[in-house]
């Protein structure tokens, strides 16, 4: 069934189409949620909540071409993750530039050999705000302006947090490579 047909049937309240929507998108959406939540159960809850919200709001979806349905659903999940972070008041961002160590970039040929699950674990080890900013900027393509609006921080705060997240990831990669020489 095409995305357009799936949306039309979901809008009509077709339970089978809603199940198909879940079947088609839950796996990828869970992977996205795992990037924002360090706890697998929290990621699963976020994915479920995002899918429920998508079904509830499906009538507001506008088809923009193949893949636009997943993009729309993933935006819902990211917004819910960001809202959760904001709600739990983890937004204590230090702008202390001395905290940014200059860690050299790891050699790309060595990073390629790091298993995907290990990289995801490294990202999930970051504090919630760093993880959110890193995911939003590096993976989901948000600008610092968009991040600052969603997380209710300054653009400089977003950029500073991203720098800290990248340094944290570089350090974890360096430690991993050293440990696995």
């Amino acid at each position: 069934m095409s995305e357009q047909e799936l949306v039309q049937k979901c809008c009509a309240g077709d339970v089978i189409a809603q199940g198909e929507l879940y079947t088609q998108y839950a796996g990828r959406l869970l992977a996205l949620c795992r990037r924002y939540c360090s706890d697998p159960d929290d990621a699963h809850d976020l994915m479920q909540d995002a899918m429920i919200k998508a079904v509830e709001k499906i009538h507001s979806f506008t088809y923009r071409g193949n893949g636009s349905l997943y993009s729309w659903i993933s935006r819902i999940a990211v917004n819910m993750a960001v809202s959760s972070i904001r709600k739990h008041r983890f937004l204590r961002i230090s702008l202390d530039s001395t905290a940014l160590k200059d860690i050299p970039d790891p050699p790309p040929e060595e990073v390629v050999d790091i298993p995907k699950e290990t990289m995801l674990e490294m990202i999930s080890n970051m504090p919630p705000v760093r993880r959110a900013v890193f995911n939003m900027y590096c993976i989901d393509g948000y600008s610092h302006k968009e991040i600052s609006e969603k997380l209710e921080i300054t653009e400089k705060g977003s950029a500073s947090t991203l720098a800290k997240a990248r340094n944290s990831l570089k350090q974890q990669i360096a430690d991993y490579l050293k440990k696995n020489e």
Side-chain angles (χ1 to χ4, degrees), residues 34-47:
R34 292 281 319 269
R35 293 193 330 247
Y36 284 87
C37 302
S38 56
D39 181 87
D41 292 333
D42 290 344
H44 190 265
D45 290 347
L46 175 61
M47 182 272 298

Side-chain angles (χ1 to χ4, degrees), residues 41-153:
D41 292 333
D42 290 344
H44 190 265
D45 290 347
L46 175 61
M47 182 272 298
Q48 294 281 9
D49 291 345
M51 289 300 294
I52 290 168
K53 189 168 187 174
V55 169
E56 290 172 350
K57 302 284 185 184
I58 194 78
H59 62 279
S60 68
F61 169 73
T62 303
Y63 183 77
R64 292 184 179 6
N66 197 25
S68 62
L69 181 57
Y70 174 72
S71 295
W72 180 76
I73 294 171
S74 67
R75 289 282 181 178
I76 291 172
V78 169
N79 288 338
M80 291 176 77
V82 167
S83 179
S84 175
I85 291 168
R86 212 176 34 234
K87 184 171 70 177
H88 288 99
R89 299 288 176 219
F90 290 120
L91 297 176
R92 308 245 188 276
I93 298 176
S94 166
L95 295 179
D96 179 11
S97 60
T98 60
L100 299 176
K101 298 186 289 185
D102 189 25
I103 301 170
D105 288 339
E109 63 277 1
E110 292 181 19
V111 175
V112 176
D113 294 333
I114 298 174
K116 181 180 176 181
E117 282 301 315
T118 302
M119 289 295 287
L120 289 173
E121 186 179 326
M122 289 176 187
I123 294 168
S124 75
N125 287 336
M126 292 181 200
V129 174
R130 285 186 192 173
R131 182 174 56 243
V133 170
F134 179 85
N135 284 317
M136 292 174 78
Y137 188 87
C138 295
I139 299 172
D140 297 324
Y142 286 87
S143 68
H144 284 299
K145 181 177 182 175
E146 292 170 314
I147 295 168
S148 71
E149 290 168 358
K150 290 191 178 296
L151 293 178
E152 298 175 353
I153 59 176

